[in-house]
Amino acid sequence: MTYRPLLIYVSPHWKFAMPDNNHSLPAAPRPADPCLMVIFGASGDLTRRKLLPALLNLRKRNFLSEHTAVIGVARTELTHDSFREYVHEQLQMFCPEFLEAGDWERLAPRLFYVSGQFDDPACFAALAELTGRLNAQFQTAGNILYYMAVAPTVVREVVRQLSEQGLTGQKNGAWRRVIVEKPFGRDLASARELNSQLLAYLDESQIYRIDHYLGKETVQNILVLRLGNGILEPIWNRRYIDHIQITVAESIGIESRGDYYEQAGALRDVVQNHMLMLLAMICMEPPNSLDARVLANERVKLLEAVVPLTGETALARTVRGQYGRGAVDGVTARAYREEKNVSPASTVETFAALELYIENWRWAGIPFFLRSGKRMPTRSTDIVIQFKQAPLRLFGEQLCEHIGPSKLILHIQPTEGITMEMSAKVPGPQLRTRPIELNFDYQQMGKSPPVTGYETLIYDAMIGDASLFHRADAVEAAWKIATPILEAWDQTPPADFPNYEAGTWGPEAADLLMEAEHRVWWNAPLPAGHAQLAEGANGQTVVTGSAVGTVENR
């Protein structure tokens, strides 16, 4: 992975400035290796909304080799031609912004299809015949990238069938790689079992455990921000940082995923994978190179340093919630227990908040607060690094009470950017201060073409760069953090579900978790015109958004 230094300076207009580099992919692209990309679950939602648009983007930006073709595999009975028609319809319906003149005509002839059951050897025999023919037709050198856009319970069987057809063996310089989607297990024991099952047929170097969050621009920029700037690197530790927050807020509910969510919940769905890996990126020790193995080693070391929460400690330092009826952006939302394929007495959490500590030299004693929830006021993923207050109260007791701590905020989605919050003097003869923001977002570098977040990850898998993928020991280290919490929750079922209204920032207990440490959550500004009423921690009704896009902490 190629990282470039992020140069920060404060301009007269209080803007962050960066080098002119629109995308994480290199400006002068090295095309990916020649290969066939085989997508299992080709008729599913992930394929049509993310994977095919990502391939289209890579194709038109010259990141795909001319010797590339795509094979879809699914249960639906389709021919090559009807699959192409289906893909075109889906792109026009869900991702029209990705289609430009000539794009489809270049992609369509490279799309092929195999139908069948994933436990049927005949399906894989047909796949073996087709891959052999297309390898020769497109001169792929025998390279194949398999993408498992299927349920985790199916992955082992698919890999076994591939192996029995000789489709996973690497010989004569050809590579075979497998991208595995989350969730990777549902606890530590099942993750270890799945790792063991896959390693019976594949080498660890062939397995690419994907986390699409790591494909986002700001996440990739974390190491550059931390280590490439002399202004930040010396203060990225417990001496200067008061605490760190990570919030993954979603305004939507579970949509049509009731069956899945009843088995998962917020902790498994988002916290165990996305959020803990973000924590590792933010807090890991500086690597001595950007080699994938070295980066993975540092992430694992960080996760293993997280102090586990067990028993009563887990209950005291975590909060779980489930949304009830409410309104999101003025639209009535039903309760989780009223969603399709959800038990009317479900105790599955749609909100989770954790207070964690890292037991190492850099972070000892510093709290890390993680929260994720469905049906919150807005969709937003943010990392907030709050710095310690200045030690000297130079400006008088009354004024100092109004000078807030400085914060560095990394905006991951929906708008990717960086904000620095600090205090400045208001012009005039009196000594008055107000908070100001130094803002950078990627739109300042010019309008970027639409992306799905999967482009970089697919490209990296095609060139054999595993820097942004998870190794088996990293997955297991994350489960070692999450599993004791899940066990504590199972032993003490919640008695107050639903305990937060749709359209609010979660249960009151999450605010109290922060208040116990004399801190408050940073809530993302709501979109302009998005006004919500919510009950504050003291029982009073407060405005959580306004027409100018501000927000007050509950």
Side-chain angles (χ1 to χ4, degrees):
M1 203 70 197
T2 301
Y3 292 89
R4 293 177 178 80
L6 172 63
L7 306 176
I8 298 181
Y9 66 87
V10 180
S11 79
H13 302 288
W14 300 100
K15 296 289 186 182
F16 278 104
M18 292 184 68
D20 185 14
N21 175 24
N22 283 343
H23 309 291
S24 58
L25 295 170
R30 166 202 158 184
D33 295 350
C35 72
L36 297 179
M37 181 171 177
V38 181
I39 304 175
F40 289 92
S43 60
D45 194 59
L46 175 64
T47 300
R48 64 192 181 192
R49 289 179 182 265
K50 300 294 184 181
L51 304 185
L52 291 171
L55 286 169
L56 194 64
N57 269 348
L58 290 170
R59 173 71 182 163
K60 64 188 179 183
R61 292 164 60 192
N62 299 317
F63 285 97
L64 288 187
S65 166
E66 289 297 320
H67 305 287
T68 302
V70 179
I71 302 173
V73 184
R75 298 181 179 92
T76 308
E77 290 284 343
L78 294 172
T79 65
H80 298 321
D81 287 337
S82 58
F83 177 60
R84 290 165 187 152
E85 291 173 5
Y86 167 79
V87 170
H88 196 206
E89 290 172 358
Q90 299 303 308
L91 288 173
Q92 288 178 316
M93 183 184 305
F94 293 107
C95 311
E97 68 274 19
F98 288 88
L99 287 169
E100 297 176 355
D103 288 342
W104 174 246
E105 289 72 19
R106 289 189 291 271
L107 180 64
R110 298 172 181 274
L111 297 176
F112 300 87
Y113 189 79
V114 173
S115 62
Q117 300 296 318
F118 295 146
D119 59 354
D120 183 1
C123 171
F124 291 84
L127 177 63
E129 187 279 328
L130 181 60
T131 57
R133 180 157 51 87
L134 295 182
N135 276 330
Q137 178 181 339
F138 289 94
Q139 301 177 5
T140 66
N143 299 327
I144 305 178
L145 176 64
Y146 301 103
Y147 200 113
M148 301 293 161
V150 294
T153 52
V154 180
V155 171
R156 178 201 176 270
E157 178 62 18
V158 171
V159 171
R160 184 183 73 82
Q161 295 279 0
L162 289 171
S163 178
E164 291 187 355
Q165 290 291 336
L167 291 171
T168 58
Q170 302 184 107
K171 55 186 177 181
N172 301 324
W175 53 257
R176 306 289 166 91
R177 298 170 186 146
V178 180
I179 296 180
V180 182
E181 274 280 350
K182 75 163 184 86
F184 200 88
R186 57 177 287 105
D187 55 22
L188 179 58
S190 60
R192 283 175 170 165
E193 181 181 11
L194 181 53
N195 275 327
S196 176
Q197 291 170 344
L198 293 183
L199 290 172
Y201 305 105
L202 301 166
D203 184 78
E204 173 64 29
S205 64
Q206 293 179 270
I207 304 171
Y208 286 65
R209 299 167 188 83
I210 197 169
D211 182 347
H212 70 272
Y213 265 56
L214 298 191
K216 295 182 181 297
E217 200 75 53
T218 308
V219 174
Q220 294 180 59
N221 217 0
I222 287 173
L223 287 186
V224 181
L225 183 72
R226 282 184 53 187
L227 306 177
N229 292 283
I231 192 173
L232 292 177
E233 190 280 329
I235 61 173
W236 208 264
N237 56 59
R238 60 186 175 86
R239 295 181 181 86
Y240 299 96
I241 292 176
D242 177 80
H243 73 278
I244 292 178
Q245 304 177 26
I246 306 176
T247 295
V248 177
E250 297 182 87
S251 58
I252 61 172
I254 60 166
E255 297 182 299
S256 60
R257 300 194 306 155
D259 287 334
Y260 163 75
Y261 213 83
E262 279 288 271
Q263 301 300 316
L267 192 68
R268 289 186 175 97
D269 186 44
V270 177
V271 177
Q272 181 274 332
N273 41 71
H274 299 325
M275 300 189 75
L276 289 180
M277 295 306 170
L278 286 178
L279 181 69
M281 293 282 284
I282 298 162
C283 299
M284 69 187 223
E285 289 300 308
N288 60 18
S289 79
L290 294 180
D291 177 78
R293 180 185 58 83
V294 175
L295 288 169
N297 288 344
E298 294 301 339
R299 289 197 294 261
V300 172
K301 283 168 57 179
L302 187 284
L303 291 172
E304 289 179 341
V306 174
V307 180
L309 299 177
T310 59
E312 292 298 322
T313 303
L315 296 178
R317 291 187 179 172
T318 66
V319 173
R320 51 188 156 160
Q322 187 187 92
Y323 64 82
R325 294 180 181 180
V328 179
D329 199 12
V331 178
T332 301
R334 57 189 171 188
Y336 173 74
R337 292 178 176 181
E338 298 171 331
E339 302 279 12
K340 184 179 179 181
N341 297 324
V342 171
S343 166
S346 175
T347 57
V348 170
E349 80 284 356
T350 63
F351 175 98
L354 285 63
E355 179 186 352
L356 299 175
Y357 290 84
I358 298 171
E359 202 168 58
N360 66 13
W361 191 269
R362 181 181 295 270
W363 299 113
I366 300 301
F368 297 83
F369 299 97
L370 283 60
R371 65 171 173 172
S372 176
K374 297 281 191 183
R375 286 296 187 201
M376 299 179 84
T378 188
R379 173 176 175 257
S380 181
T381 298
D382 303 283
I383 301 169
V384 180
I385 296 96
Q386 181 164 311
F387 295 94
K388 292 183 177 180
Q389 292 276 48
L392 299 177
R393 305 174 71 86
L394 298 176
F395 308 112
E397 291 290 329
Q398 185 174 2
L399 182 60
C400 279
E401 291 176 0
H402 300 285
I403 298 180
S406 298
K407 302 181 184 73
L408 178 66
I409 304 165
L410 309 181
H411 307 287
I412 309 298
Q413 65 178 11
T415 301
E416 295 182 282
I418 306 169
T419 298
M420 176 69 84
E421 289 187 1
M422 58 180 64
S423 296
K425 179 183 176 297
V426 176
Q430 293 181 310
L431 185 58
R432 294 186 299 116
T433 65
R434 71 178 182 190
I436 62 168
E437 294 183 350
L438 316 181
N439 288 308
F440 162 77
D441 69 64
Y442 281 87
Q443 296 302 314
Q444 291 175 229
M445 295 189 297
K447 187 175 181 180
S448 300
V451 294
T452 68
Y454 283 76
E455 289 85 353
T456 296
L457 298 168
I458 292 173
Y459 173 78
D460 282 356
M462 287 181 172
I463 66 172
D465 185 344
S467 301
L468 297 178
F469 294 86
H470 302 321
R471 211 167 57 189
D473 52 355
V475 172
E476 293 183 9
W479 276 120
K480 288 178 184 177
I481 299 168
T483 298
I485 298 171
L486 291 167
E487 291 173 348
W489 286 358
D490 286 343
Q491 293 169 8
T492 310
D496 59 347
F497 279 8
N499 59 357
Y500 71 98
E501 291 183 14
T504 65
W505 286 102
E508 182 182 355
D511 295 328
L512 298 177
L513 181 72
M514 293 288 276
E515 289 177 13
E517 298 296 329
H518 308 290
R519 296 171 175 95
V520 295
W521 292 108
W522 183 92
N523 292 333
L526 301 185
H530 183 137
Q532 293 281 327
L533 295 180
E535 186 175 304
N538 59 1
Q540 296 179 340
T541 299
V542 297
V543 177
T544 61
S546 73
V548 295
T550 60
V551 64
E552 295 179 18
N553 288 309
R554 277 182 49 190

